Amino acid sequence: MSHPDSSADAPAPTIPDRPGLEGLEDRWDATWEEQGTYRFDRTKARADVFSIDTPPPTVSGSLHVGHVFSYTHTDTIARYQRMAGREVFYPMGWDDNGLPTERRVQNYFGVRCEPSMPYDPDFAAPDDAGDPKAIKKRGDVAISRRNFIDLCHVLTAEDEQAFEALFRRLGLSVDWNQHYATIDERCQRASQRAFLRNLARGEAYQIEAPSLWDVTHRTAVAQAELEDRERPGAYHRLAFHLPAGTSASDGSNDLHIATTRPELLAACVALVAHPDDERYQPLFGTTVTTPVFGVEVPVLAHELADPEKGTGIAMICTFGDTTDVIWWRELDLDVRAIINRAGRVNPEPPQGIGSEAGLAAYARLAGKTIFSAQAEMVEILRETQELVGEPEAITHQVKFFEKGDKPLEIVTSRQWYIRNGGRDTDLRTALIARGDQMAWHPPYMQTRYTNWIDGLNGDWLISRQRFFGVPLPLWYPLDEDGEPIHDTPIVPAEADLPVDPSSDPAPGYNESQRGRPGGFAGDTDVMDTWATSSLSPQIACGWEEDNDLFARTYPMDLRPQAHDIIRTWLFSTAVRSHFEADTAPWGHCALSGWILDPDRKKMSKSKGNVVTPLDLLDKHGSDAVRYWAANGRPGTDTAFDDGQMKNGRRLAIKIMNASRFALGFGTDSGTPLAVDPEAITDPLDRAMLLGLAGLVDEATQAFDGFDYARALERTEAWFWTFTDDHVELVKSRAYEGDEAGAESARHALRLALSTLLRLFAPFLPFVTEEVWSWWRGGSVHRQAWPTSDKLRDAATVDGEHVDPTTAAVAAAALAEIRRHKTTEKRSLATPVTACTLTDTAERLALLRPVLGDVTAAARATGIDLVEGDALSAEVTLEPAAG
RNA sequence: GGACCGUUAGCUCAGUUGGCUAGAGCGCUCGCCUCACACGCGAGAGGUCACUGGUUCGAGUCCAGUACGGUCCACCA
């Protein structure tokens, strides 16, 4: 790295006459690539490295403005850290694993994954890919999982190129040699290896239990993937019947139950009310019979029952919602499941329905979807006159899989879990404590992490009944009847990873034994996409594959991400690092906000208000868009603002023009564009440098706290004052002052420019690099971050200091005179024939040494100073011509 | 129901440990071709800092509460 203020290696200065922003992005991107400007030097020691756990964007469509926003935040920090002397490890990942990609590949190629099919090495992508008409005509082709994954690679490779192009255009200082894709072999290996280790240590386990089930995708889903949606529904009052001889408080023989899911009546296993509810206390321990089906069910007490809801007594079905699961478990009830994995009513009635009428009614429901079953059930209830009154329409929150479009059901199935503290207090406490090992930016985001862990009600369900993902690396031996023995899964050796149990035979078996009695069966499930992305630090840092790199980068320094995925990505990553390395995965988490559209709603595709990032970059220029993004405070949702981008463009142009001025003196006279602190002798120049030193301190402090927005705000504010005041004041002296004065002005301008370009470099990488290249060698992005002590040294002459407020006093004096010109609607170039300036003695003392600059900038022949209470001026202007 | 964040000029937002007449940009109004920049420059108007109490010599800033907006979680018979 060259000395920041040396120009020994500088090329001959070339300052364009009409500098512009057009084309800077492509030109500098190519240069940075060619010169390896952002390449990671893996010989650096851990303490000198700053490693970033870049979020891998989902490769299933296109990037949006939110990506531009948050990735810019990270990039400003990366650039600062690089200039501050850290070797930045800044890889890029692509998340091409999971449901969004799977769907896209299915549609694009017209294929359907069939995990039971053998791998076909000669399979080629259909040549009508991307032609929906042709695909519709021929129908989907069934292919093996491995062939399906091959196709995923084909399609995602195209997206990844487009994403990289956009990120380069945006100016991310990523080392493009360091990248991964969550479905690539390396990630599969890491993902399977981590799972096997979880299994070996008892952190992963399988169990047959009710779990959340998405009927559209026919897969289990995890608690972290739920979202609530408001749906219309209706309370239906059903008449349950008390045993003969007893009666309810109202004297009737019926007990009324309110439910929004009458279609589950056949799955009812009990009724439940609050233990303190006097209305139902007499019934606890007794049984009632269900309407229509005539099944005898117990009436039980549980404190989760809410006396205020419905009629205060609920029917427990297996399973209508998560509360049913709790009741079922804690009250030790029967299973009477009627909904299958496709979201339809089972053809066979559950145990317990004995009556002919009950069986006939069930037959009318069998095979129906949940929606039609409900309508049919209501009709049956009307017929038997066991529907009390009319259904009462309500709107309520219903749980959905975040990528699903039908309400979640609860289905009993065998699934794999990883412990996450949801059922284990000690682990929960330990994971919450991991949060204290990370510095959160902004700090209150840690509360969300803690709250999420506190609210967990089960372990992390990681198996998915899908195809495109990392397979669970497991096989099961088959008994003599050909049934899998789940308790003794067969695992591969780590050296053989990755494996696909649906096409690779289990160790110790050969392929001919697949599915045969005494043979083996491969697990057909894949892992949750978060089970892979939760390993992003391990993957990026070369865990178990590149120990040297790993030792220099892990645990990582920074995880930047959006706040909405604290519960998924952030938390699951913490879980994996806790188990695997007994550490927090990073030292810092920086949470970015969202982009809101001008109506203050979250920008989303469905609302049709997304602006494509490339259009934005084309229209405003990358620096301008980055400027807007960097104005969004950490963690704060930010409105999309065209105006801020225009402002950013204005700033970039101003930097060019100001630079042209500051560098415009050396070339004419043939002197090199050196910066010699010794030449800076004028008090105004020195005062300006002291102000700049203060700015450097502020910007550095802000960046050290990951507050890029503050660093930008301060730098920008100082810069505009610099151009409006300082440049105007010293202009005459720089052009035509005596030699010492002129040289002082020129050297100070260049020192200021050199400093400002470096302060702006993290935000506006293109324009700063362009200007830097006019007069300096090397990339501005590899220069040392400025330090204030050098500026303070330069401002000190023979041990004598100058009062930094001198600059403000001089600027105020000039502004006062300009105000007169403006008020009289005259040009600022109008000569001042006489001027008397009044100010306090203290301020006049500061003004005297720099009065020459003020006089010249005011175009005055002279300025008389008079002591007074406050600043004021009497100004006589040259009469207007004509 | 619990938690967190926010409420400052027409708009978007600063205001760091409480301290001089509350700031910026945009927008608006009025001017100005001034040898870096008209993709510019100068000036001006515009705010009871959501509300109510409290602490203090002093509160936009601290405390308590209220209202409104947002987010997360829980509940959802």
Side-chain angles (χ1 to χ4, degrees):
Chain A
M1 195 176 291
S2 62
H3 186 283
D5 295 327
S6 110
S7 56
D9 57 347
T14 48
I15 299 161
D17 286 339
R18 296 285 302 172
L21 300 174
E22 282 64 35
L24 292 185
E25 289 91 348
D26 288 344
R27 186 144 54 82
W28 286 111
D29 174 58
T31 306
W32 293 332
E33 172 69 22
E34 182 192 315
Q35 301 188 343
T37 307
Y38 309 122
R39 201 156 296 157
F40 177 62
D41 176 358
R42 56 175 299 163
T43 65
K44 290 285 163 62
R46 180 65 190 89
D48 297 329
V49 169
F50 186 85
S51 57
I52 301 174
D53 188 14
T54 316
T58 304
V59 183
S60 63
S62 50
L63 294 170
H64 52 80
V65 180
H67 288 107
V68 166
F69 182 66
S70 56
Y71 282 77
T72 297
H73 298 167
T74 307
D75 188 59
T76 62
I77 290 166
R79 288 178 181 276
Y80 163 71
Q81 291 288 346
R82 191 178 289 114
M83 296 176 78
R86 306 285 288 276
E87 185 63 22
V88 174
F89 180 63
Y90 190 7
M92 180 58 72
W94 308 118
D95 188 8
D96 44 15
N97 171 8
L99 205 44
T101 308
E102 183 178 313
R103 277 175 166 172
R104 185 138 176 272
V105 169
Q106 279 175 350
N107 297 335
Y108 185 81
F109 291 109
V111 294
R112 179 165 46 80
C113 179
E114 188 51 64
S116 62
M117 283 179 67
Y119 176 60
D120 175 2
D122 300 323
F123 175 78
D127 45 21
D128 58 359
D131 181 352
K133 267 188 179 167
I135 290 169
K136 197 175 176 186
K137 202 171 166 187
R138 70 163 154 87
D140 286 350
V141 180
I143 60 174
S144 75
R145 179 157 74 192
R146 187 171 284 185
N147 288 121
F148 188 87
I149 289 175
D150 286 346
L151 287 184
C152 292
H153 286 304
V154 171
L155 193 57
T156 54
E158 289 176 24
D159 285 343
E160 285 159 16
Q161 278 186 341
F163 281 24
E164 179 176 333
L166 180 73
F167 280 153
R168 281 178 176 276
R169 181 77 190 282
L170 181 60
L172 298 189
S173 60
V174 161
D175 179 355
W176 292 102
N177 294 310
Q178 307 280 348
H179 65 267
Y180 62 87
T182 53
I183 199 62
D184 70 20
E185 202 173 288
R186 185 157 65 104
C187 292
Q188 294 213 27
R189 201 155 47 225
S191 186
Q192 292 187 334
R193 186 192 304 120
F195 171 80
L196 291 173
R197 294 197 181 179
N198 290 138
L199 178 62
R201 289 190 298 254
E203 295 143 6
Y205 64 91
Q206 58 177 328
I207 188 172
E208 175 141 4
S211 59
L212 297 161
W213 187 269
D214 182 77
V215 298
T216 311
H217 299 100
R218 300 196 190 179
T219 181
V221 301
Q223 184 186 353
E225 296 172 291
L226 303 187
E227 66 182 30
D228 285 346
R229 295 184 200 162
E230 213 162 69
R231 280 295 149 117
Y235 275 134
H236 300 73
R237 282 171 168 254
L238 313 188
F240 281 59
H241 309 295
L242 300 172
T246 53
S247 61
S249 47
D250 64 356
S252 82
N253 190 240
D254 286 349
L255 189 57
H256 294 171
I257 303 290
T259 178
T260 55
R261 301 207 54 186
E263 72 277 14
L264 292 179
L265 179 57
C268 177
V269 291
L271 300 187
V272 65
H274 196 275
D276 299 338
D277 193 332
E278 292 177 4
R279 293 170 297 177
Y280 301 109
Q281 277 174 346
L283 295 175
F284 293 150
T286 70
T287 61
V288 296
T289 53
T290 63
V292 179
F293 300 105
V295 175
E296 196 171 309
V297 295
V299 181
L300 303 168
H302 194 283
E303 58 208 8
L304 272 184
D306 183 353
E308 305 294 317
K309 287 259 166 64
T311 57
I313 184 164
M315 68 174 190
I316 304 175
C317 303
T318 52
F319 297 94
D321 60 37
T322 49
T323 316
D324 279 346
V325 178
I326 296 170
W327 281 328
W328 168 80
R329 193 188 304 130
E330 296 189 3
L331 299 173
D332 195 22
L333 301 169
D334 296 336
V335 176
R336 198 166 282 154
I338 64 163
I339 303 295
N340 68 17
R341 296 181 180 200
R344 288 177 183 270
V345 177
N346 281 328
E348 296 302 319
Q351 287 184 347
I353 298 181
S355 72
E356 217 163 282
L359 291 170
Y362 189 86
R364 287 168 66 180
L365 303 175
K368 283 195 158 43
T369 62
I370 290 157
F371 182 83
S372 350
Q374 181 174 109
E376 187 67 23
M377 191 68 228
V378 170
E379 183 54 34
I380 296 170
L381 284 162
R382 284 190 208 282
E383 290 168 15
T384 62
Q385 300 191 328
E386 288 172 306
L387 180 69
V388 182
E390 280 303 302
E392 178 196 344
I394 55 158
T395 304
H396 60 160
Q397 300 286 327
V398 180
K399 283 198 191 312
F400 279 71
F401 173 38
E402 59 192 1
K403 296 189 175 68
D405 41 36
K406 283 187 181 163
L408 282 171
E409 292 299 326
I410 292 175
V411 167
T412 298
S413 55
R414 176 172 294 275
Q415 302 288 347
W416 281 92
Y417 294 80
I418 290 180
R419 299 185 198 282
N420 66 359
R423 301 171 60 179
D424 176 342
T425 312
D426 289 347
L427 179 55
R428 183 180 297 220
T429 307
L431 287 169
I432 288 174
R434 287 291 177 211
D436 296 331
Q437 295 177 358
M438 312 166 197
W440 298 76
H441 309 284
Y444 62 78
M445 289 292 180
Q446 186 178 0
T447 309
R448 299 201 185 182
Y449 171 83
T450 305
N451 284 352
W452 171 252
I453 300 175
D454 265 334
L456 287 171
N457 53 35
D459 281 330
W460 175 15
L461 196 170
I462 61 155
S463 45
R464 295 288 181 278
Q465 289 66 55
R466 300 302 304 172
F467 322 114
F468 185 49
V470 179
L472 278 160
L474 298 169
W475 299 264
Y476 306 96
L478 299 180
D479 62 19
E480 53 275 17
D481 298 325
E483 291 299 315
I485 305 167
H486 285 112
D487 293 342
T488 54
I490 304 165
V491 300
E494 283 194 3
D496 294 335
L497 300 178
V499 297
D500 181 353
S502 70
S503 54
D504 298 322
Y509 294 82
N510 58 55
E511 187 60 30
S512 66
Q513 292 172 280
R514 184 183 294 274
R516 298 282 168 81
F520 72 93
D523 196 310
T524 52
D525 289 354
V526 296
M527 288 188 261
D528 177 9
T529 182
W530 298 110
T532 301
S533 43
S534 61
L535 296 163
S536 60
Q538 283 85 349
I539 291 166
C541 299
W543 175 56
E544 296 288 313
E545 313 218 340
D546 187 341
N547 292 332
D548 179 72
L549 179 67
F550 195 71
R552 295 170 198 277
T553 53
Y554 182 93
M556 303 186 84
D557 291 281
L558 174 65
R559 155 64 69 88
Q561 66 162 77
H563 58 66
D564 57 331
I565 52 174
I566 290 175
R567 66 176 183 169
T568 49
W569 193 35
L570 196 151
F571 173 58
S572 61
T573 309
V575 170
R576 300 317 274 287
S577 270
H578 175 74
F579 284 145
E580 203 53 54
D582 193 22
T583 179
W586 336 271
H588 298 268
C589 317
L591 285 305
S592 65
W594 283 326
I595 296 309
L596 307 176
D597 70 18
D599 301 334
R600 311 299 301 163
K601 296 277 192 266
K602 185 185 172 186
M603 259 200 177
S604 67
K605 273 184 199 169
S606 59
K607 297 200 179 85
N609 53 7
V610 164
V611 187
T612 75
L614 203 56
D615 287 348
L616 275 186
L617 298 180
D618 278 341
K619 184 175 172 192
H620 301 282
S622 294
D623 281 339
V625 175
R626 289 174 60 103
Y627 168 88
W628 159 76
N631 264 300
R633 322 303 282 195
T636 306
D637 295 346
T638 301
F640 180 81
D641 190 350
D642 216 55
Q644 284 286 36
M645 295 180 203
K646 288 183 182 141
N647 220 28
R649 187 175 176 82
R650 214 176 126 232
L651 174 63
I653 291 167
K654 190 75 175 180
I655 288 173
M656 282 205 158
N657 284 318
S659 301
R660 215 162 77 80
F661 170 75
L663 301 175
F665 304 102
T667 45
D668 290 346
S669 61
T671 53
L673 293 173
V675 176
D676 178 8
E678 297 296 312
I680 301 170
T681 53
D682 184 273
L684 188 62
D685 298 332
R686 292 158 61 198
M688 179 274 289
L689 291 179
L690 287 180
L692 183 55
L695 168 66
V696 167
D697 285 339
E698 276 193 288
T700 305
Q701 195 186 348
F703 260 127
D704 283 339
F706 294 78
D707 193 348
Y708 50 83
R710 176 184 297 275
L712 172 58
E713 183 207 335
R714 296 302 155 92
T715 304
E716 188 196 2
W718 196 91
F719 172 71
W720 283 107
T721 306
F722 170 74
T723 59
D724 292 344
D725 295 345
H726 183 78
V727 167
E728 291 303 320
L729 283 165
V730 304
K731 198 177 268 182
S732 295
R733 178 157 52 88
Y735 274 121
E736 60 215 5
D738 62 57
E739 184 164 344
E743 282 303 297
S744 174
R746 296 169 184 182
H747 283 273
L749 285 169
R750 290 193 288 258
L751 179 53
L753 180 65
S754 160
T755 306
L756 284 164
L757 287 177
R758 284 176 283 149
L759 292 177
F760 275 125
F763 306 103
L764 310 172
F766 296 102
V767 73
T768 52
E769 186 76 319
E770 173 69 11
V771 172
W772 192 262
S773 76
W774 292 347
W775 63 310
R776 292 296 180 94
S779 169
V780 70
H781 303 298
R782 281 288 182 175
Q783 303 305 311
W785 186 252
T787 55
S788 56
D789 50 356
K790 280 185 186 163
L791 295 168
R792 294 206 169 88
D793 284 351
T796 308
V797 174
D798 297 333
E800 295 213 7
H801 301 282
V802 63
D803 189 325
T805 51
T806 303
V809 169
L814 176 60
E816 191 60 28
I817 299 169
R818 282 172 165 179
R819 185 174 297 115
H820 281 81
K821 296 185 183 179
T822 297
T823 309
E824 293 181 24
K825 305 193 172 182
R826 301 290 300 280
S827 161
L828 295 182
T830 308
V832 173
T833 51
C835 176
T836 304
L837 201 66
T838 306
D839 209 341
T840 63
E842 200 182 11
R843 287 165 63 87
L844 289 182
L846 294 173
L847 189 56
R848 269 186 201 100
V850 299
L851 193 60
D853 283 343
V854 176
T855 308
R859 309 286 164 103
T861 48
I863 297 177
D864 296 325
L865 299 180
V866 175
E867 207 175 304
D869 295 335
L871 175 63
S872 68
E874 270 183 48
V875 179
T876 309
L877 299 180
E878 191 178 80

